[in-house]
Amino acid sequence: MLHALTKVSTFRSLEHKEWGILWLAGHLWHLAFWMDLIVLGWLVLELSDSAFQVALVGTFRLIPMGFLGVLAGSLGDRLPKRKLLILAQIINLTVTVAFTVILIFDLERVWLIYLTALLTGSAWSIDFPIRRAFIRDMLPATAIVNAMAIDAASLVGMAMAGRWIGGGLLAASGPVLAYGFLVGCYIVGLALLVRMPNPTVEPRPSTAAPSVVKDLIAGFVYVWRNPALRGVLLVTVIINFCVAPYFQLTPVFAKDVFDIGPGLLGLMSGMDGLGALIGALVLASMIGLVRLGRVFAIGSIVFGVGVLLFSQAPNYQAAIPFLVIVGLGTAGFAAMQTTITVTQAEPEMRGRAMGAVALGIGVIPLGMAFVGGMSEWLGAAEALGLTSLIGLGLIAMVLLFQPDLRRAKQ
């Protein structure tokens, strides 16, 4: 199947066998990540009927990113990346099997859901910086933009599929079947990763600091001193605090604003994945794409505008096209966020540079808690509308005062 895909220019980087296997395994991990968020969020909503407690699912899922993501990026410059990825997926599988047993015996409680989200979030925090730095290690420079674009397509496409499948299984049979499906995803994904040949990585001089803490500081300083990377980091922080928390509030919008059930929730919330899939495939098909900063800037603005429009949608039918716009913006933002980072950073600093980006993503739990708390006070629509509007203003300021980011090229 992969050989046939390489004949299409959109998937040309898959001619590298190791990357092709990692890409296929990534589909299953991405699907599980998004499906799990929908299922856990709905469970908490059913147990608590609280927007704030639903938002805390995303908070616990992503709070490890602020520390473990940075640490994993540093370790990825010191230890074999493939072994770290296997460790992350073993954690995912173990936790998911344990929570499936809890569901079978009807023992689920809100605190157990939060613990599950925290543990799988820890595995995701290891995976995010390591896998993207690993992709750059295993591929030549000519393949990297295409590889990052189709990796983003996998992430966002599975966001769509995961939410549709999660919502459908919740509506049809409940959370036990949904979690059984997740166990299967992790088993197959881990098997693919274990079977993946060890790629040949060109030896590079080590710049690792004497201690992990000094290594982390060195990575952050390196990113901050590079104007383009600094701009990526600042926009990443703004989007993850002010804009991205929208997805954890979709169950609240479904139940309290649009008055729909889990089936239509899955359909609606997956539409940003559809838009992002379209956008990512378009980017992957652009063979001569070099103006990475411009795509990143446009994607970031479109992302924020889409969330602002979604927050003011009067019904779920109107929300669907607005979420497609969110997805189109996400494609440009997410694909170029990674591509700019791994192309601007020196080879021996890629893991730490991605760790710094993971630190920026790590503010999303704070954003989720903040927007969730505001939703209890103002209402979900008003809170999300206000924070996305503030985010748009801050993004515009960064793009204005960081011209090197706008001019970033491959």
Side-chain angles (χ1 to χ4, degrees):
M1 183 185 72
L2 288 178
H3 179 71
L5 285 176
T6 60
K7 299 182 183 298
V8 182
S9 64
T10 303
F11 302 98
R12 56 194 177 277
S13 64
L14 295 178
E15 66 183 4
H16 301 274
K17 182 179 179 181
E18 297 88 355
W19 161 229
I21 295 174
L22 188 63
W23 184 70
L24 284 178
H27 279 58
L28 296 167
W29 305 331
H30 294 151
L31 178 101
F33 177 86
W34 293 108
M35 180 177 166
D36 197 24
L37 277 176
I38 282 290
V39 174
L40 295 182
W42 188 262
L43 279 173
V44 170
L45 188 62
E46 291 285 282
L47 290 171
S48 69
D49 198 29
S50 165
F52 178 66
Q53 291 191 51
V54 172
L56 286 180
V57 173
T59 298
F60 280 98
R61 166 59 68 85
L62 293 169
I63 204 168
M65 185 69 79
F67 172 72
L68 280 181
V70 181
L71 179 62
S74 173
L75 291 176
D77 288 330
R78 296 167 174 261
L79 302 174
K81 294 181 176 68
R82 178 170 168 271
K83 291 183 179 179
L84 291 171
L85 291 177
I86 289 174
L87 171 64
Q89 300 315 317
I90 289 174
I91 294 171
N92 273 332
L93 178 58
T94 303
V95 174
T96 304
V97 168
F99 194 69
T100 303
V101 174
I102 288 171
L103 289 172
I104 290 172
F105 289 99
D106 199 24
L107 298 174
E108 64 270 23
R109 300 293 184 271
V110 170
W111 72 269
L112 283 172
I113 294 172
Y114 291 159
L115 179 61
T116 300
L118 180 67
L119 293 173
T120 53
S122 298
W124 177 259
S125 300
I126 296 170
D127 174 90
F128 178 82
I130 295 294
R131 185 151 54 87
R132 280 136 186 100
F134 195 27
I135 293 169
R136 182 60 188 91
D137 284 351
M138 69 172 64
L139 294 176
T142 53
I144 194 60
V145 172
N146 177 260
M148 291 301 176
I150 63 174
D151 182 62
S154 169
L155 175 63
V156 297
M158 292 303 101
M160 172 183 65
R163 294 181 219 178
W164 286 355
I165 293 171
L169 291 178
L170 279 173
S173 184
V176 174
L177 181 60
Y179 250 76
F181 184 88
L182 288 174
V183 170
C185 287
Y186 283 127
I187 289 174
V188 177
L190 179 60
L192 286 171
L193 184 58
V194 169
R195 290 173 58 86
M196 187 183 83
N198 281 310
T200 302
V201 178
E202 181 182 348
R204 295 174 181 131
S206 174
T207 61
S211 73
V212 172
V213 173
K214 290 182 179 179
D215 212 16
L216 299 179
I217 295 172
F220 184 80
V221 170
Y222 176 81
V223 167
W224 194 257
R225 287 179 176 173
N226 182 304
L229 295 181
R230 181 172 63 239
V232 169
L233 178 60
L234 289 172
V235 173
T236 297
V237 169
I238 294 165
I239 282 184
N240 282 279
F241 188 86
C242 296
V243 180
Y246 82 91
F247 72 79
Q248 195 56 48
L249 287 178
T250 52
V252 179
F253 274 82
K255 187 174 182 180
D256 297 342
V257 180
F258 304 144
D259 193 27
I260 58 177
L264 288 177
L265 162 64
L267 175 65
M268 178 192 73
S269 65
M271 298 311 292
D272 57 351
L274 176 61
L277 179 62
I278 294 169
L281 292 177
V282 169
L283 289 174
S285 301
M286 298 172 69
I287 296 176
L289 180 62
V290 294
R291 295 185 178 276
L292 309 181
R294 184 173 296 180
V295 176
F296 180 79
I298 294 172
S300 301
I301 293 293
V302 172
F303 189 176
V305 169
V307 171
L308 178 61
L309 292 173
F310 167 72
S311 71
Q312 304 306 304
N315 50 56
Y316 87 92
Q317 293 94 336
I320 285 175
F322 294 151
L323 285 173
V324 172
I325 293 172
V326 170
L328 291 171
T330 303
F333 164 72
M336 294 303 108
Q337 174 196 60
T338 303
T339 305
I340 292 172
T341 302
V342 299
T343 55
Q344 293 283 321
E346 310 225 358
E348 63 274 12
M349 294 296 293
R350 284 178 190 139
R352 278 162 282 183
M354 282 305 304
V357 172
L359 179 64
I361 296 172
V363 306
I364 193 171
L366 302 177
M368 287 177 171
F370 179 71
V371 177
M374 288 188 64
S375 297
E376 295 277 328
W377 177 38
L378 298 175
E382 291 78 7
L384 187 59
L386 178 60
T387 57
S388 58
L389 189 60
I390 292 171
L392 279 168
L394 293 174
I395 291 168
M397 289 178 63
V398 172
L399 296 176
L400 178 63
F401 291 108
Q402 298 288 325
D404 285 332
L405 172 58
R406 301 195 308 271
R407 293 194 290 260
K409 296 182 180 180
Q410 184 181 6

Coordinates of all heavy atoms in Angstrom, one line a residue, residues 294-381:
R294 N 5.2 32.4 6.1 CA 4.0 33.0 5.6 C 2.8 32.0 5.8 O 1.7 32.4 6.3 CB 4.1 33.4 4.2 CG 2.9 34.1 3.6 CD 3.2 34.6 2.2 NE 4.2 35.6 2.2 CZ 4.7 36.2 1.0 NH1 4.1 35.8 -0.1 NH2 5.6 37.1 1.1
V295 N 3.0 30.7 5.5 CA 2.0 29.7 5.7 C 1.6 29.6 7.2 O 0.5 29.5 7.6 CB 2.4 28.4 5.2 CG1 1.4 27.3 5.5 CG2 2.6 28.5 3.7
F296 N 2.7 29.7 8.1 CA 2.4 29.6 9.5 C 1.6 30.8 10.0 O 0.7 30.6 10.8 CB 3.8 29.6 10.2 CG 3.7 29.5 11.7 CD1 3.5 28.3 12.4 CD2 3.9 30.7 12.5 CE1 3.4 28.3 13.8 CE2 3.9 30.6 13.9 CZ 3.6 29.4 14.5
A297 N 1.9 32.0 9.5 CA 1.2 33.2 9.9 C -0.3 33.1 9.5 O -1.2 33.4 10.3 CB 1.9 34.4 9.4
I298 N -0.5 32.8 8.3 CA -1.9 32.7 7.8 C -2.7 31.6 8.5 O -3.8 31.9 8.9 CB -1.9 32.5 6.2 CG1 -1.3 33.7 5.5 CG2 -3.3 32.2 5.7 CD1 -1.0 33.4 4.0
G299 N -2.0 30.5 8.7 CA -2.7 29.4 9.4 C -3.1 29.8 10.8 O -4.2 29.5 11.3
S300 N -2.2 30.5 11.5 CA -2.5 30.9 12.9 C -3.7 31.8 13.0 O -4.5 31.7 13.8 CB -1.2 31.6 13.5 OG -0.1 30.7 13.5
I301 N -3.7 32.8 12.1 CA -4.8 33.8 12.0 C -6.2 33.1 11.7 O -7.2 33.3 12.3 CB -4.5 34.9 11.0 CG1 -3.4 35.8 11.5 CG2 -5.8 35.8 10.9 CD1 -3.6 36.6 12.8
V302 N -6.1 32.2 10.7 CA -7.4 31.5 10.3 C -7.9 30.6 11.4 O -9.1 30.5 11.7 CB -7.1 30.7 9.0 CG1 -8.3 29.8 8.7 CG2 -6.8 31.7 7.8
F303 N -7.0 30.0 12.1 CA -7.3 29.2 13.3 C -8.1 30.0 14.3 O -9.2 29.6 14.7 CB -6.0 28.6 13.9 CG -6.1 27.6 14.9 CD1 -5.0 27.0 15.5 CD2 -7.4 27.2 15.4 CE1 -5.1 26.0 16.5 CE2 -7.5 26.2 16.4 CZ -6.3 25.6 16.9
G304 N -7.5 31.1 14.7 CA -8.2 32.0 15.7 C -9.6 32.5 15.2 O -10.5 32.5 16.0
V305 N -9.6 32.9 13.9 CA -10.9 33.4 13.4 C -12.0 32.3 13.4 O -13.1 32.5 13.7 CB -10.7 34.0 12.0 CG1 -12.0 34.3 11.3 CG2 -9.9 35.2 12.0
G306 N -11.6 31.1 13.0 CA -12.5 30.0 13.0 C -13.1 29.7 14.4 O -14.3 29.4 14.5
V307 N -12.2 29.7 15.4 CA -12.7 29.4 16.8 C -13.6 30.5 17.2 O -14.7 30.3 17.9 CB -11.5 29.3 17.7 CG1 -12.0 29.2 19.2 CG2 -10.7 28.0 17.4
L308 N -13.3 31.8 16.9 CA -14.2 32.9 17.2 C -15.6 32.7 16.6 O -16.6 32.9 17.3 CB -13.6 34.2 16.8 CG -14.4 35.5 17.0 CD1 -14.6 35.7 18.5 CD2 -13.7 36.7 16.5
L309 N -15.6 32.3 15.4 CA -16.9 32.1 14.7 C -17.6 30.9 15.3 O -18.9 31.0 15.5 CB -16.6 31.9 13.2 CG -16.1 33.1 12.4 CD1 -15.8 32.6 10.9 CD2 -17.2 34.2 12.3
F310 N -16.9 29.9 15.6 CA -17.6 28.7 16.2 C -18.2 29.1 17.6 O -19.3 28.6 17.9 CB -16.5 27.6 16.4 CG -17.0 26.5 17.3 CD1 -18.0 25.6 16.9 CD2 -16.5 26.4 18.6 CE1 -18.4 24.6 17.8 CE2 -16.9 25.4 19.5 CZ -17.9 24.5 19.1
S311 N -17.5 29.9 18.3 CA -18.0 30.2 19.7 C -19.4 31.0 19.6 O -20.1 31.0 20.5 CB -17.0 31.1 20.4 OG -16.9 32.4 19.8
Q312 N -19.6 31.6 18.4 CA -20.9 32.4 18.3 C -21.9 31.7 17.4 O -22.9 32.3 17.1 CB -20.5 33.8 17.7 CG -19.5 34.6 18.5 CD -19.9 34.7 20.0 OE1 -21.0 35.2 20.3 NE2 -19.0 34.3 20.9
A313 N -21.7 30.4 17.1 CA -22.6 29.7 16.2 C -23.9 29.5 17.0 O -23.9 29.1 18.1 CB -22.0 28.4 15.8
P314 N -25.1 29.8 16.3 CA -26.4 29.6 17.0 C -26.9 28.2 17.1 O -27.7 27.9 18.0 CB -27.3 30.4 16.1 CG -26.7 30.3 14.8 CD -25.2 30.3 15.0
N315 N -26.3 27.3 16.3 CA -26.7 25.9 16.3 C -25.6 25.0 15.7 O -24.6 25.5 15.2 CB -28.0 25.6 15.6 CG -28.0 26.2 14.2 OD1 -27.1 25.9 13.4 ND2 -29.0 27.1 13.9
Y316 N -25.8 23.7 15.9 CA -24.7 22.8 15.4 C -24.5 22.8 13.9 O -23.4 22.6 13.4 CB -24.8 21.4 16.0 CG -25.7 20.5 15.2 CD1 -25.1 19.6 14.2 CD2 -27.0 20.4 15.3 CE1 -25.8 18.8 13.5 CE2 -27.8 19.5 14.6 CZ -27.2 18.7 13.7 OH -28.0 17.8 12.9
Q317 N -25.6 23.1 13.2 CA -25.4 23.1 11.7 C -24.5 24.3 11.3 O -23.7 24.1 10.4 CB -26.8 23.3 11.1 CG -27.7 22.1 11.2 CD -28.7 22.2 12.4 OE1 -28.4 22.9 13.4 NE2 -29.8 21.5 12.3
A318 N -24.7 25.4 12.0 CA -23.8 26.6 11.7 C -22.4 26.3 12.2 O -21.4 26.8 11.6 CB -24.4 27.8 12.3
A319 N -22.3 25.6 13.3 CA -20.9 25.3 13.8 C -20.1 24.5 12.9 O -18.8 24.6 12.9 CB -21.1 24.6 15.2
I320 N -20.7 23.6 12.1 CA -19.9 22.7 11.2 C -19.0 23.4 10.3 O -17.8 23.1 10.2 CB -20.9 21.7 10.5 CG1 -21.4 20.7 11.5 CG2 -20.2 21.0 9.3 CD1 -22.4 19.7 11.0
P321 N -19.5 24.4 9.4 CA -18.5 25.1 8.5 C -17.5 25.9 9.3 O -16.4 26.0 8.8 CB -19.4 25.9 7.7 CG -20.7 26.1 8.4 CD -20.9 24.8 9.2
F322 N -17.9 26.4 10.4 CA -16.9 27.2 11.2 C -15.7 26.3 11.7 O -14.6 26.7 11.7 CB -17.5 27.9 12.4 CG -18.5 29.0 11.9 CD1 -19.6 29.3 12.7 CD2 -18.4 29.6 10.7 CE1 -20.5 30.2 12.4 CE2 -19.3 30.6 10.3 CZ -20.4 30.9 11.2
L323 N -16.1 25.0 12.1 CA -15.1 24.1 12.5 C -14.2 23.7 11.3 O -13.0 23.4 11.5 CB -15.7 22.9 13.2 CG -16.2 23.2 14.6 CD1 -17.0 22.0 15.2 CD2 -15.0 23.5 15.6
V324 N -14.8 23.6 10.1 CA -13.9 23.3 9.0 C -12.9 24.4 8.8 O -11.7 24.1 8.5 CB -14.8 23.2 7.7 CG1 -13.9 23.0 6.4 CG2 -15.7 21.9 7.8
I325 N -13.3 25.7 9.0 CA -12.4 26.8 8.9 C -11.3 26.7 10.0 O -10.1 26.9 9.7 CB -13.1 28.1 9.1 CG1 -14.0 28.4 7.9 CG2 -12.1 29.3 9.2 CD1 -14.9 29.6 8.0
V326 N -11.7 26.3 11.2 CA -10.7 26.0 12.2 C -9.6 25.0 11.8 O -8.4 25.2 11.9 CB -11.4 25.5 13.5 CG1 -10.4 25.0 14.5 CG2 -12.2 26.6 14.1
G327 N -10.1 23.9 11.1 CA -9.2 22.9 10.7 C -8.3 23.4 9.6 O -7.1 23.0 9.6
L328 N -8.8 24.2 8.6 CA -7.9 24.7 7.6 C -6.7 25.5 8.2 O -5.6 25.4 7.8 CB -8.7 25.6 6.6 CG -9.7 24.8 5.7 CD1 -10.6 25.8 5.0 CD2 -8.9 23.9 4.7
G329 N -7.1 26.3 9.2 CA -6.1 27.1 9.9 C -5.1 26.2 10.7 O -3.9 26.5 10.7
T330 N -5.6 25.2 11.3 CA -4.8 24.3 12.1 C -3.8 23.6 11.2 O -2.6 23.4 11.7 CB -5.7 23.2 12.8 OG1 -6.6 23.9 13.6 CG2 -4.8 22.3 13.6
A331 N -4.1 23.3 10.0 CA -3.2 22.6 9.1 C -1.9 23.5 8.9 O -0.8 23.0 9.0 CB -3.9 22.3 7.8
G332 N -2.1 24.7 8.5 CA -1.0 25.6 8.3 C -0.2 25.8 9.6 O 1.0 25.8 9.5
F333 N -0.9 26.1 10.7 CA -0.2 26.3 11.9 C 0.6 25.1 12.4 O 1.8 25.2 12.7 CB -1.2 26.7 13.0 CG -0.7 26.6 14.4 CD1 0.2 27.5 14.9 CD2 -1.1 25.6 15.3 CE1 0.7 27.5 16.2 CE2 -0.6 25.5 16.6 CZ 0.3 26.4 17.0
A334 N 0.0 23.9 12.5 CA 0.6 22.7 13.0 C 1.7 22.2 12.1 O 2.8 21.9 12.6 CB -0.4 21.6 13.3
A335 N 1.5 22.2 10.8 CA 2.5 21.6 9.9 C 3.8 22.5 9.9 O 4.9 22.0 10.0 CB 2.0 21.5 8.5
M336 N 3.6 23.8 9.9 CA 4.7 24.7 9.8 C 5.3 24.9 11.2 O 6.5 25.2 11.2 CB 4.3 26.1 9.2 CG 3.8 26.0 7.8 SD 5.1 25.3 6.7 CE 4.4 23.7 6.3
Q337 N 4.6 24.8 12.2 CA 5.2 24.9 13.6 C 6.3 23.9 13.7 O 7.4 24.2 14.2 CB 4.1 24.6 14.6 CG 4.6 24.5 16.1 CD 3.5 23.8 16.9 OE1 3.2 22.6 16.7 NE2 3.0 24.5 17.9
T338 N 6.1 22.7 13.3 CA 7.1 21.6 13.4 C 8.2 21.8 12.3 O 9.3 21.7 12.6 CB 6.4 20.2 13.2 OG1 5.4 20.1 14.2 CG2 7.4 19.1 13.4
T339 N 7.7 22.1 11.1 CA 8.7 22.2 10.0 C 9.7 23.3 10.2 O 10.9 23.1 10.0 CB 7.9 22.4 8.7 OG1 7.0 21.4 8.5 CG2 8.9 22.4 7.5
I340 N 9.2 24.5 10.6 CA 10.1 25.6 10.9 C 11.1 25.2 12.0 O 12.3 25.5 11.9 CB 9.3 26.9 11.3 CG1 8.6 27.4 10.0 CG2 10.3 28.0 11.7 CD1 7.6 28.5 10.4
T341 N 10.6 24.6 13.0 CA 11.5 24.2 14.2 C 12.6 23.3 13.8 O 13.7 23.5 14.1 CB 10.6 23.6 15.3 OG1 9.6 24.5 15.7 CG2 11.5 23.3 16.5
V342 N 12.2 22.2 13.1 CA 13.3 21.2 12.8 C 14.2 21.6 11.6 O 15.3 21.1 11.5 CB 12.6 19.8 12.5 CG1 11.9 19.3 13.7 CG2 11.8 19.8 11.3
T343 N 13.7 22.6 10.8 CA 14.6 23.0 9.7 C 15.5 24.2 10.2 O 16.6 24.3 9.7 CB 13.8 23.4 8.5 OG1 12.8 24.4 8.9 CG2 13.1 22.2 7.9
Q344 N 15.0 25.0 11.1 CA 15.8 26.1 11.6 C 16.8 25.7 12.6 O 17.9 26.3 12.7 CB 14.9 27.2 12.2 CG 14.0 27.9 11.2 CD 14.7 29.0 10.4 OE1 15.6 29.7 10.9 NE2 14.4 29.0 9.1
A345 N 16.5 24.7 13.4 CA 17.4 24.2 14.4 C 18.6 23.4 13.8 O 18.4 22.7 12.8 CB 16.7 23.4 15.5
E346 N 19.7 23.5 14.4 CA 20.9 22.6 14.0 C 20.6 21.2 14.4 O 19.8 20.9 15.3 CB 22.1 23.1 14.7 CG 22.3 24.6 14.6 CD 23.7 25.0 14.2 OE1 24.6 24.1 14.1 OE2 23.9 26.2 14.1
P347 N 21.2 20.2 13.6 CA 20.8 18.8 13.8 C 21.0 18.4 15.3 O 20.1 17.6 15.8 CB 21.9 18.1 12.9 CG 22.1 19.1 11.8 CD 22.1 20.4 12.5
E348 N 22.0 18.8 16.0 CA 22.2 18.3 17.3 C 21.3 19.0 18.4 O 21.3 18.6 19.5 CB 23.7 18.5 17.7 CG 24.2 19.9 17.8 CD 24.7 20.4 16.4 OE1 24.4 19.7 15.4 OE2 25.2 21.5 16.4
M349 N 20.5 20.0 17.9 CA 19.6 20.7 18.8 C 18.2 20.5 18.5 O 17.3 21.1 19.1 CB 19.9 22.2 18.7 CG 21.3 22.6 19.2 SD 21.5 22.3 21.0 CE 20.3 23.5 21.7
R350 N 17.9 19.6 17.6 CA 16.5 19.4 17.1 C 15.6 18.9 18.3 O 14.5 19.4 18.4 CB 16.4 18.5 15.9 CG 16.8 19.1 14.6 CD 16.8 18.2 13.5 NE 17.4 18.8 12.3 CZ 18.2 18.2 11.5 NH1 18.5 16.9 11.7 NH2 18.8 18.8 10.5
G351 N 16.1 17.9 19.0 CA 15.2 17.4 20.1 C 14.9 18.5 21.1 O 13.8 18.6 21.6
R352 N 15.9 19.2 21.5 CA 15.7 20.3 22.5 C 14.9 21.4 21.9 O 14.1 22.0 22.7 CB 17.1 20.8 23.0 CG 17.7 19.9 24.1 CD 19.1 20.1 24.3 NE 19.9 19.5 23.2 CZ 21.2 19.5 23.2 NH1 21.9 20.1 24.1 NH2 21.9 18.8 22.2
A353 N 15.0 21.7 20.7 CA 14.2 22.8 20.1 C 12.7 22.3 20.1 O 11.8 23.1 20.4 CB 14.6 23.1 18.6
M354 N 12.4 21.0 19.7 CA 11.1 20.5 19.8 C 10.6 20.5 21.2 O 9.4 20.6 21.5 CB 11.0 19.1 19.1 CG 11.0 19.2 17.6 SD 9.7 20.2 16.9 CE 8.2 19.5 17.6
G355 N 11.5 20.2 22.1 CA 11.1 20.2 23.6 C 10.7 21.6 24.0 O 9.7 21.7 24.8
A356 N 11.3 22.7 23.5 CA 10.9 24.0 23.8 C 9.5 24.3 23.2 O 8.7 25.0 23.9 CB 11.9 25.0 23.3
V357 N 9.2 23.8 22.0 CA 7.9 24.0 21.4 C 6.9 23.2 22.3 O 5.7 23.7 22.5 CB 7.9 23.5 20.0 CG1 6.4 23.4 19.4 CG2 8.7 24.4 19.1
A358 N 7.3 22.0 22.8 CA 6.4 21.2 23.7 C 6.1 22.0 24.9 O 5.0 21.9 25.5 CB 7.0 19.9 24.0
L359 N 7.0 22.8 25.4 CA 6.8 23.7 26.6 C 5.7 24.7 26.2 O 4.8 25.0 27.1 CB 8.1 24.4 27.0 CG 8.0 25.3 28.2 CD1 7.6 24.6 29.4 CD2 9.3 26.1 28.4
G360 N 5.8 25.2 25.0 CA 4.7 26.2 24.6 C 3.3 25.5 24.5 O 2.3 26.1 25.0
I361 N 3.3 24.3 24.0 CA 2.1 23.5 23.9 C 1.6 23.2 25.4 O 0.4 23.1 25.6 CB 2.3 22.2 23.1 CG1 2.6 22.6 21.7 CG2 1.0 21.3 23.2 CD1 3.0 21.4 20.8
G362 N 2.6 23.1 26.3 CA 2.2 22.7 27.6 C 1.4 23.8 28.4 O 0.9 23.5 29.5
V363 N 1.2 24.9 27.8 CA 0.4 25.9 28.5 C -1.1 25.6 28.3 O -2.0 26.2 28.9 CB 0.7 27.4 28.1 CG1 2.1 27.7 28.3 CG2 0.2 27.7 26.7
I364 N -1.4 24.7 27.4 CA -2.8 24.5 27.0 C -3.7 24.0 28.2 O -4.8 24.4 28.4 CB -3.0 23.5 25.8 CG1 -4.4 23.5 25.3 CG2 -2.6 22.1 26.2 CD1 -4.6 22.8 24.0
P365 N -3.1 23.2 29.2 CA -3.9 22.8 30.3 C -4.3 24.1 31.1 O -5.4 24.1 31.7 CB -3.0 22.0 31.2 CG -2.0 21.4 30.2 CD -1.8 22.5 29.2
L366 N -3.4 25.1 31.2 CA -3.8 26.3 31.9 C -4.9 27.0 31.2 O -5.8 27.6 31.8 CB -2.5 27.2 32.1 CG -1.3 26.6 32.8 CD1 -0.2 27.6 32.8 CD2 -1.7 26.2 34.2
G367 N -4.8 27.0 29.8 CA -5.8 27.7 29.0 C -7.1 27.0 29.2 O -8.2 27.6 29.3
M368 N -7.1 25.6 29.2 CA -8.4 24.9 29.4 C -9.0 25.2 30.7 O -10.2 25.4 30.8 CB -8.1 23.4 29.2 CG -7.8 23.0 27.8 SD -7.4 21.2 27.7 CE -7.4 21.0 25.9
A369 N -8.2 25.2 31.8 CA -8.7 25.5 33.1 C -9.3 26.9 33.1 O -10.4 27.1 33.7 CB -7.7 25.3 34.2
F370 N -8.6 27.8 32.5 CA -9.0 29.2 32.5 C -10.3 29.4 31.7 O -11.3 30.0 32.2 CB -7.9 30.1 31.9 CG -8.2 31.6 31.8 CD1 -8.3 32.3 32.9 CD2 -8.5 32.1 30.6 CE1 -8.6 33.7 32.9 CE2 -8.8 33.5 30.5 CZ -8.9 34.3 31.6
V371 N -10.4 28.8 30.5 CA -11.6 29.0 29.7 C -12.7 28.2 30.4 O -13.9 28.7 30.4 CB -11.3 28.5 28.3 CG1 -12.6 28.6 27.4 CG2 -10.3 29.4 27.6
G372 N -12.4 27.0 30.9 CA -13.5 26.3 31.6 C -14.0 27.0 32.8 O -15.3 27.1 33.0
G373 N -13.2 27.7 33.6 CA -13.6 28.5 34.7 C -14.4 29.7 34.3 O -15.5 30.0 34.9
M374 N -14.0 30.3 33.2 CA -14.8 31.5 32.7 C -16.1 31.0 32.1 O -17.1 31.7 32.2 CB -14.0 32.2 31.6 CG -12.8 33.0 32.1 SD -12.1 34.0 30.7 CE -13.4 35.1 30.4
S375 N -16.2 29.8 31.6 CA -17.5 29.2 31.1 C -18.5 29.1 32.2 O -19.7 29.3 32.0 CB -17.2 27.9 30.4 OG -16.4 28.1 29.3
E376 N -18.0 28.7 33.4 CA -18.9 28.6 34.5 C -19.5 29.9 34.9 O -20.6 30.0 35.4 CB -18.2 28.0 35.7 CG -17.7 26.5 35.5 CD -18.8 25.5 35.9 OE1 -19.6 25.8 36.7 OE2 -18.8 24.5 35.2
W377 N -18.7 31.0 34.7 CA -19.1 32.3 35.1 C -19.9 33.0 34.0 O -21.0 33.6 34.2 CB -17.8 33.1 35.4 CG -18.0 34.5 35.8 CD1 -19.0 35.1 36.5 CD2 -17.2 35.6 35.4 NE1 -18.9 36.4 36.6 CE2 -17.8 36.8 36.0 CE3 -16.0 35.8 34.7 CZ2 -17.2 38.1 35.8 CZ3 -15.4 37.0 34.5 CH2 -16.0 38.2 35.1
L378 N -19.3 33.0 32.7 CA -19.9 33.8 31.6 C -20.8 32.9 30.7 O -21.7 33.5 30.0 CB -18.8 34.4 30.8 CG -17.9 35.4 31.5 CD1 -16.8 35.9 30.5 CD2 -18.7 36.7 31.9
G379 N -20.6 31.6 30.7 CA -21.2 30.8 29.7 C -20.1 30.4 28.7 O -19.1 31.1 28.4
A380 N -20.2 29.2 28.1 CA -19.2 28.7 27.2 C -19.0 29.5 26.0 O -17.8 29.8 25.6 CB -19.6 27.2 26.7
A381 N -20.1 30.0 25.3 CA -19.9 30.8 24.1 C -19.2 32.1 24.4 O -18.3 32.5 23.6 CB -21.3 31.0 23.5

